[in-house]
Structures are given as structure tokens and as C-alpha cells.
Amino acid sequence: MSELTEFRQQVRTWLEANCPMSLRTPTPDGELIWSGSEVNFTFDDQRQWFNSMRDKHWFCPSWPTQYGGGALTAQQNSVLESEMRRLKCRPPQINLGIWMLGPVLLEHGTELQKQQFLTPMTRGEVRWCQGFSEPNAGSDLASIRTSAIDQGDHYLVNGSKIWTSYGDKSDWMYALVRTDAKAPKHQGISLLLLDMHSQGVQAKPIDLISGKSSFCEVFFDNVVVPKENLIGELNGGWKLAKELLQHERSAMSKFGEFQLPTHFDLMSLMSDYMPAPHSASEAALLNKAVAANMEEQAYNLTVQRLGAEMQAGQSCFGLMSIMKLVHTEQEKIKFELLLDAMGYRGLGWEDDSFSEQEQAITRAWLNSFSQTIAGGSSEVQLNVIAKRVLQLPENKGVS
Ligand SMILES: Cc1cc2nc3c(=O)[nH]c(=O)nc-3n(C[C@H](O)[C@H](O)[C@H](O)COP(=O)(O)OP(=O)(O)OC[C@H]3O[C@@H](n4cnc5c(N)ncnc54)[C@H](O)[C@@H]3O)c2cc1C
């Protein structure tokens, strides 16, 4: 038996023994476990699964052991992922720090920063939020204005962020700040880590029409940030931001795979609501669903191919924009088709006459729009793909 086959066998046995049956289903809205100083479990199995995976060092399976990781090779990591997929295990925890900041810290952090920030991440003890967007600096991210002024041993941060997901529930923020107002805009930005409990930080939830919102505006009023919290070089934050966003896009391209709330089986749901097409328009709808299903399968195969290429040492970095674009657009189409098939059953919101699943589908449909914006909108991904992947020339305008 090859070493990898033996490893697969061990992983399978361990997961079967440790992942409770109740957590081998798609995660409903509201049952995601966010790591942090306050972790909320709705039932005991979640706590047990969280603790088992944490103690196995599989929150960050491929990170080095000295920072609490599991030190799995890329191949072993992909075996773990595929075995979790096979058993339909829910993710034991969610943390933006692990998805996005961690890989950047591993590459660019000082030893002290790695010790201070990575180990608590791998234990699920700190919740992170992303402080990138500002009013007038979303797609045009390099226009950020929140400033960090050098005060000798610390920076003084002033300004505001917007669309900060869960800013009010997070312990720490990784933020882009302007550290040189006179330099060209891409060259005056730094990446800074900010304790959200510092004096002068205020996170205000933004009300949305749905009545639920994860978004906050975050205000900084003379916030003192130690200089040790600067990641990488002063004014070198733009390069790190681009890396971090690629990690975000990579994580977003896997959402369906790990059974986050959008994970629904299109074909089986279509047949629940439309067992046999009774009209030309229903037949056309079914045809579209079949095409969408095939595209989803092609996408999943491409993810596997990219995984194999990465294991073979090829860099797939710029391709994450393609994966994020394709996946989020496919999800949106999938839910539009599903809603068409559901007819009035797709109108459920908080009314008891709609099943939990129907309400979850309606919410997932609405959420699918936001995923084409979060992490950089689809239009912006197309620009990135044109420039960085296809290396097309800049558009100088039509004369
Ligand atoms: C669910 C969700 C979660 C988010 N979480 C966070 C978070 O935690 N932290 C954070 O910092 N931000 C977060 N954001 C903000 C997100 O990063 C921005 O919304 C996104 O970058 C777009 O910026 P904007 O909203 O300012 O839109 P704008 O930049 O104003 O864009 C408006 C429209 O113009 C288009 N457009 C803009 N520039 C171009 C161009 N050059 N070419 C073609 N089209 C263009 C865009 O595609 C879009 O359709 C989140 C957003 C969402 C939806």
C-alpha cells in the first residue's frame, strides 16, 4: 500500500470516528461556527467536532507545527479535503484570518508576529475581520484614505472602513492604511494589524433591507497601534493586499465544495419542484438546469486539476480570479433556475408555511448576488484576468 493510500485510510477512519453524524449535512444559515474569543455552539456535536479538529491541528492542516498547524503535505491536505467532502463533513470553524491573513503572515511576517498571531488562529481563539474597503475605495482599493501616522514607537490611526463583515464581532482586523500621503497611491499603503478592542475603535452595524446584516462601518479615532503590528515593509502593503485578495478568491472558489450555506443539489431540487416538465417553457428550464449542472461538474473537475498542478509545483496564483468569477457566477445562475422552478414556493422569508429549506434557498439566492461583489466584483475580476492571466495590453481608450 502506498504511503498516501495508507494516509487516506487513516484519515477516513479518524473522520468516521470523530465527525458526528449530525454534522454530515449542509450547514444551514445560522449554524456556521465562527472561531474567536467567543465561539457560539448551537448544539454539543458542534463543540465536539470543533475540539477534535482543533486538537488534531486540522484547522490549518498544512501550516508548520511550530505555529500549531498539522504539517500535512499538499497531497495529504488534498486527501483530507476529499475525504471530508466524501463524508459531507461540515467545516468545523470559519475564520477569515486563516483563509486570508495566515498565508500572508507565513510568508511575510516576522518570527515574533508568526508566534503571536498564527498560533491562536490555529486554535480558533481569535476572530479576524478585513478592513480594506472604504467609501470611494472598493474596486479602486488603492484610493484608501485611512491614515496611520508615525509617532515614534507607534502609529496613530484615523479614518473609517465600510462593508467590514462582522466588524462588531471580531477581535482583530487586518487593515490597509495610508502611511505616505505624498507617494503615488499604490506606493503609500501598508498592511497593519489592529486590536478591535483598542480605544478609539467603533464598529457600527449597517442595517440592510433584509433585516439581517453582517456589515459594519468601522471608525478609527486616534487609535494607537504598536509598530510591531506592521506586516512586511512600510509602504509595501499593496503587494501584500494583492496576495491576500488572491487567497480570499481561492477560499471563495471553494465555498460550494465545503458545504457552506449555498450548497444545494440543483438537479434533485429541480425534480422535487418539477418532477416532469409539462410545457415547452418547463422543458427549456430543465435544459438550462442540465447545462448548469454540467458546468458545475466541469468546474469541480477543474478545481481538482488545479489542485494536482499545484501539488506538482506549478503556480496557479492568478487563476484564483478565474475560479472566483466562474464559481460565483455559476452559483447565481443555479439559484435563479431553482427559484424559477419553485414558483411561488421561492417567495418564503419568515413565514411558517414555507419549509426551512425553501427559506434557506431564497436567502441563498439573494446571497449569491453579494458573492459576485465580495472579494472584488465580477467586472473587476475580468479586468484582473485580462491583465494578469491573459497578459492583454492596457485599455488606452478608443481614439
Ligand atoms: C458580502 C460582502 C462582504 C464584504 N466583506 C467585506 C469585508 O469584510 N471587508 C472589506 O473591506 N470589504 C468587504 N466587502 C466590500 C467589497 O470588497 C466591495 O463591495 C467590492 O470591492 C466592490 O466595491 P464597491 O462596493 O465600492 O463598488 P464600486 O467599486 O463602487 O463598484 C460599483 C460597480 O462598478 C463596477 N466597476 C468599478 N470599477 C470598475 C472597472 N474598473 N471596470 C469595470 N467595472 C467597474 C463594479 O464592478 C460594480 O459593478 C464586502 C462586500 C460584500 C458584497
Side-chain angles (χ1 to χ4, degrees):
M1 197 190 290
S2 81
E3 261 179 49
L4 208 58
T5 316
E6 201 175 318
F7 178 75
R8 185 180 292 279
Q9 204 56 54
Q10 287 166 6
V11 169
R12 193 170 286 186
T13 311
W14 189 88
L15 288 176
E16 302 238 357
N18 287 280
C19 183
M21 287 309 289
S22 61
L23 299 183
R24 299 186 196 180
T25 53
T27 320
D29 199 18
E31 285 191 14
L32 287 176
I33 303 297
W34 290 85
S35 280
S37 54
E38 283 174 37
V39 187
N40 290 318
F41 300 103
T42 33
F43 50 99
D44 240 22
D45 282 356
Q46 293 174 323
R47 186 194 312 276
Q48 185 222 308
W49 179 223
F50 180 97
N51 289 344
S52 308
M53 285 290 274
R54 179 198 60 202
D55 296 346
K56 189 82 177 158
H57 303 278
W58 279 355
F59 282 173
C60 304
S62 57
W63 291 10
T65 44
Q66 71 261 40
Y67 310 122
L72 299 192
T73 62
Q75 280 179 318
Q76 289 173 327
N77 195 20
S78 109
V79 166
L80 171 61
E81 286 182 358
S82 73
E83 285 304 312
M84 284 181 68
R85 237 184 345 257
R86 196 184 63 83
L87 273 188
K88 299 191 165 50
C89 307
R90 288 190 194 175
Q93 57 83 44
I94 306 286
N95 193 324
L96 302 194
I98 292 176
W99 283 347
M100 300 175 210
L101 175 64
V104 172
L105 268 181
L106 275 168
E107 202 172 332
H108 303 280
T110 62
E111 188 49 40
L112 213 62
Q113 288 169 339
K114 291 181 192 173
Q115 296 287 353
Q116 183 183 352
F117 297 112
L118 293 179
T119 308
M121 261 184 222
T122 59
R123 297 192 52 74
E125 290 167 356
V126 176
R127 183 161 178 175
W128 287 86
C129 62
Q130 182 188 69
F132 278 21
S133 307
E134 293 182 15
N136 303 318
S139 301
D140 183 16
L141 188 56
S143 291
I144 55 139
R145 292 167 64 182
T146 293
S147 65
I149 307 291
D150 190 335
Q151 300 286 307
D153 65 340
H154 65 269
Y155 296 104
L156 210 53
V157 176
N158 279 287
S160 70
K161 296 285 171 187
I162 197 160
W163 310 127
T164 315
S165 301
Y166 303 105
D168 54 342
K169 298 187 173 60
S170 297
D171 302 302
W172 279 76
M173 169 189 275
Y174 48 93
L176 289 179
V177 290
R178 188 153 297 284
T179 35
D180 185 345
K182 296 202 184 92
K185 66 179 186 180
H186 294 89
Q187 292 165 28
I189 293 173
S190 299
L191 182 63
L192 205 58
L193 307 186
L194 260 137
D195 184 341
M196 292 296 278
H197 306 111
S198 310
Q199 200 172 0
V201 178
Q202 198 189 7
K204 281 193 185 168
I206 301 173
D207 288 336
L208 294 184
I209 196 165
S210 66
K212 288 188 177 178
S213 172
S214 58
F215 291 129
C216 285
E217 271 182 292
V218 181
F219 298 93
F220 309 105
D221 180 15
N222 283 329
V223 179
V224 172
V225 180
K227 277 203 165 157
E228 300 88 77
N229 294 3
L230 174 78
I231 306 302
E233 288 179 16
L234 182 67
N235 299 322
W238 186 246
K239 178 176 165 279
L240 302 187
K242 283 198 293 187
E243 279 184 28
L244 199 143
L245 286 171
Q246 284 296 316
H247 292 299
E248 176 172 22
R249 285 156 198 170
S250 164
M252 288 182 73
S253 69
K254 286 187 179 166
F255 275 3
E257 234 185 305
F258 288 103
Q259 308 193 63
L260 293 181
T262 61
H263 187 85
F264 291 102
D265 182 342
L266 176 63
M267 294 318 291
S268 94
L269 284 165
M270 290 287 283
S271 63
D272 285 352
Y273 289 96
M274 231 175 52
H278 289 301
S279 63
S281 65
E282 284 191 1
L285 186 59
L286 201 58
N287 274 343
K288 284 189 194 161
V290 171
N293 191 40
M294 283 163 66
E295 279 175 24
E296 191 177 14
Q297 290 186 30
Y299 173 84
N300 289 335
L301 288 172
T302 311
V303 169
Q304 284 178 28
R305 177 171 61 78
L306 284 180
E309 284 176 8
M310 279 157 99
Q311 279 163 28
Q314 288 183 29
S315 163
C316 302
F317 218 53
L319 297 183
M320 292 313 163
S321 286
I322 299 184
M323 302 310 281
K324 189 261 176 185
L325 171 79
V326 172
H327 184 65
T328 53
E329 290 294 333
Q330 277 184 353
E331 286 285 290
K332 197 170 71 171
I333 291 168
K334 173 168 123 181
F335 283 106
E336 279 164 5
L337 293 170
L338 195 47
L339 264 271
D340 272 353
M342 287 167 74
Y344 82 96
R345 301 299 309 168
L347 293 174
W349 193 248
E350 279 171 343
D351 179 339
D352 284 349
S353 61
F354 293 92
S355 71
E356 257 182 44
Q357 177 171 277
E358 284 167 340
Q359 295 187 28
I361 292 172
T362 311
R363 286 173 198 283
W365 166 64
L366 286 169
N367 192 47
S368 70
F369 289 83
S370 75
Q371 297 306 308
T372 64
I373 300 170
S377 64
S378 289
E379 292 83 354
V380 166
Q381 299 314 311
L382 287 170
N383 288 345
V384 173
I385 293 162
K387 252 168 91 173
R388 278 201 239 146
V389 183
L390 302 175
Q391 317 251 308
L392 296 178
E394 286 276 354
N395 178 10
K396 305 270 189 230
V398 181
S399 58

